[in-house]
Amino acid sequence: MGFWRRLFGGSSGGSDDLKPQRLDYLNEALALERQGDYDAALTSYRLALRDHPNDARILQNMAIAFTKTRRFDEAIRHYRRALELDSSLAGAHYGLAFLLLQRGDPDGAAQHLKTFLAHPPRGPDAQKWIEHATQALHDLGAQPAPAPAPAPAPAPGSIASARAPEERTGSH
């Protein structure tokens, strides 16, 4: 009976009313990446980007997935677009720096490494990324930017807000 009422404009009032649900494409993409299906993840990221065209975090995640699928030109383009929208994305500076090194642009890489080190991420894995960036900058013969004063450690039991450079962002 509910079908006929919906068809002709009435409401069935029952539990069978259709309730359209919006898919969470970003979290779907993150789950697909965890499974190693980067091409499917990129499809979901594209759908997420369609819904949120100026979300720098989605662009950064796409750049990481493009890097994992060895589509470096696309990765560079997405990192640059993410940084246009949010120049403070440490992970985008980090990822772009190493892609630029691979492409033979040491000056561009050094600039992004310096920016990354000027405002490094915090969190349990941050130190390894900082050391890697510092070593790469040293290998290029460049001096890192002075590090900002360390922030106080998060209180025990609290959730740290900073993310490692390659860690994905799934919430809005």
Side-chain angles (χ1 to χ4, degrees):
M1 188 62 122
F3 167 77
W4 291 108
R5 285 188 189 153
R6 285 194 309 270
L7 182 65
F8 293 108
S11 173
S12 68
S15 62
D16 62 347
D17 283 340
L18 293 178
K19 301 224 190 264
Q21 294 184 358
R22 192 99 173 133
L23 287 177
D24 185 348
Y25 294 115
L26 179 56
N27 282 323
E28 178 182 74
L30 296 169
L32 288 164
E33 276 198 78
R34 281 191 296 275
Q35 296 170 15
D37 192 349
Y38 299 107
D39 288 316
L42 282 164
T43 298
S44 293
Y45 282 134
R46 285 182 187 101
L47 293 168
L49 196 60
R50 182 189 65 190
D51 291 344
H52 305 281
N54 293 318
D55 190 323
R57 296 169 303 163
I58 293 171
L59 289 160
Q60 176 178 283
N61 289 347
M62 288 179 78
I64 293 167
F66 277 123
T67 300
K68 299 227 179 202
T69 59
R70 307 191 60 75
R71 292 182 249 180
F72 303 124
D73 291 337
E74 285 294 308
I76 289 170
R77 189 170 64 83
H78 282 76
Y79 276 134
R80 285 189 170 144
R81 177 69 179 130
L83 289 170
E84 285 174 13
L85 295 169
D86 183 354
S87 63
S88 70
L89 284 175
H93 284 290
Y94 181 91
L96 182 55
F98 287 99
L99 287 173
L100 292 175
L101 269 177
Q102 183 181 14
R103 288 284 188 235
D105 181 2
D107 294 335
Q111 181 62 40
H112 286 285
L113 288 170
K114 287 177 184 178
T115 303
F116 169 79
L117 290 169
H119 302 286
R122 296 185 226 323
D125 295 329
Q127 192 57 40
K128 72 178 178 181
W129 307 114
I130 293 167
E131 289 171 6
H132 187 237
T134 302
Q135 182 61 48
L137 200 54
H138 180 268
D139 292 347
L140 288 171
Q143 295 298 317
S158 70
I159 299 174
S161 62
R163 309 183 88 77
E166 197 170 322
E167 187 172 338
R168 303 299 196 272
T169 53
S171 59
H172 288 294

